Amino acid sequence: KPSSRVVYLCPVEAVCESVMGKWRAKFSNICPREIVRMTGEVTIDLKLMESASIIIATPRQWDMITRRWKQRKVVQSVALVIADLLNYLGRPEIGPQYEIALSRTRYISAQLEEAGGTRIRIVALSECLANAHDVADWLGCSPIAVFNFDASSRSSPLRIHLQSFVFDDTVSSNQNLITAMTRPAFLSVLEAFDNEDPSE
């Protein structure tokens, strides 16, 4: 829809900059409006959003702009949010802000849908996630809309090696358990590097 907007969220500034360059080259001739990058200054960002079809922002910038979403029609015109590098949710310096930004986006979507508007579609992308289905549930994704790719489909394939460990009843504390596992894990890493093909 020509009147709707797309927001691309990424917690890494360098990735935002790279995506903006690529998307300007790819989409500028088909977008009815500009492709912009948020600055972190709310008044400037609101003006940028007015003139944009695609908005590139960090979770912190999106959090600031959506705080007063009921008074900001431009925020209500967002139809799609692409949340990239969702694996950063686990990082203490970025994760909480990313979580707030996406939770508020879901809340805005629910409120708009309840008022008869269109819901905001969220597309989330991530590197390896141990709890991909839990994150999908939190984002309100249907189980059939969750795609978990094999490690070999990465640009640099990931090899998985499992190291067994025999639990000793004499290990009493968590710290002792970690210390007891360190040596077998270290030896396993050394063995993996010794067997590595230098051409890879």
Side-chain angles (χ1 to χ4, degrees):
K1 295 179 183 177
S3 60
S4 61
R5 291 171 171 81
V6 175
V7 173
Y8 172 83
L9 292 179
C10 182
V12 181
E13 297 272 354
V15 174
C16 288
E17 208 57 48
S18 170
V19 165
M20 189 174 78
K22 288 177 186 173
W23 286 11
R24 276 190 173 161
K26 196 177 283 189
F27 299 125
S28 58
N29 58 342
I30 58 170
C31 285
R33 293 182 299 276
E34 292 180 64
I35 297 168
V36 300
R37 190 166 175 324
M38 285 190 172
T39 64
E41 293 290 326
V42 176
T43 51
I44 295 170
D45 288 343
L46 286 170
K47 287 179 184 172
L48 285 171
M49 281 185 77
E50 289 286 347
S51 66
S53 288
I54 300 175
I55 300 111
I56 298 168
T58 64
R60 183 186 67 78
Q61 293 163 343
W62 184 242
D63 172 38
M64 289 171 54
I65 210 83
T66 56
R67 285 182 185 171
R68 297 176 60 200
W69 67 272
K70 286 186 180 179
Q71 290 89 29
R72 297 174 176 158
K73 295 288 182 196
V74 70
V75 173
Q76 295 175 34
S77 69
V78 171
L80 170 65
V81 171
I82 301 169
D84 200 359
L85 293 179
L86 213 62
N87 49 297
Y88 276 66
L89 279 171
R91 296 202 179 181
E93 68 280 0
I94 296 170
Q97 206 148 33
Y98 210 171
E99 190 175 331
I100 288 168
L102 289 173
S103 294
R104 187 176 298 121
T105 301
R106 287 203 60 217
Y107 176 76
I108 292 168
S109 177
Q111 294 296 306
L112 291 174
E113 191 175 24
E114 199 174 285
T118 55
R119 132 181 205 264
I120 300 171
R121 181 178 181 205
I122 299 174
V123 175
L125 310 168
S126 176
E127 291 179 6
C128 299
L129 277 181
N131 58 345
H133 289 285
D134 293 338
V135 173
D137 284 345
W138 167 63
L139 288 172
C141 296
S142 156
I144 61 168
V146 178
F147 302 96
N148 201 353
F149 298 99
D150 187 72
S152 63
S153 65
R154 294 166 45 104
S155 55
S156 55
L158 185 67
R159 287 180 292 157
I160 299 170
H161 173 79
L162 299 176
Q163 174 64 48
S164 62
F165 175 76
V166 178
F167 181 72
D168 187 357
D169 291 341
T170 61
V171 178
S172 58
S173 72
N174 231 6
Q175 186 60 41
N176 290 342
L177 180 62
I178 290 170
T179 304
M181 287 191 299
T182 302
R183 184 163 175 75
F186 178 71
L187 292 173
S188 181
V189 169
L190 284 179
E191 185 183 329
F193 278 112
D194 286 344
N195 296 334
E196 191 173 86
D197 182 359
S199 65
E200 287 182 354

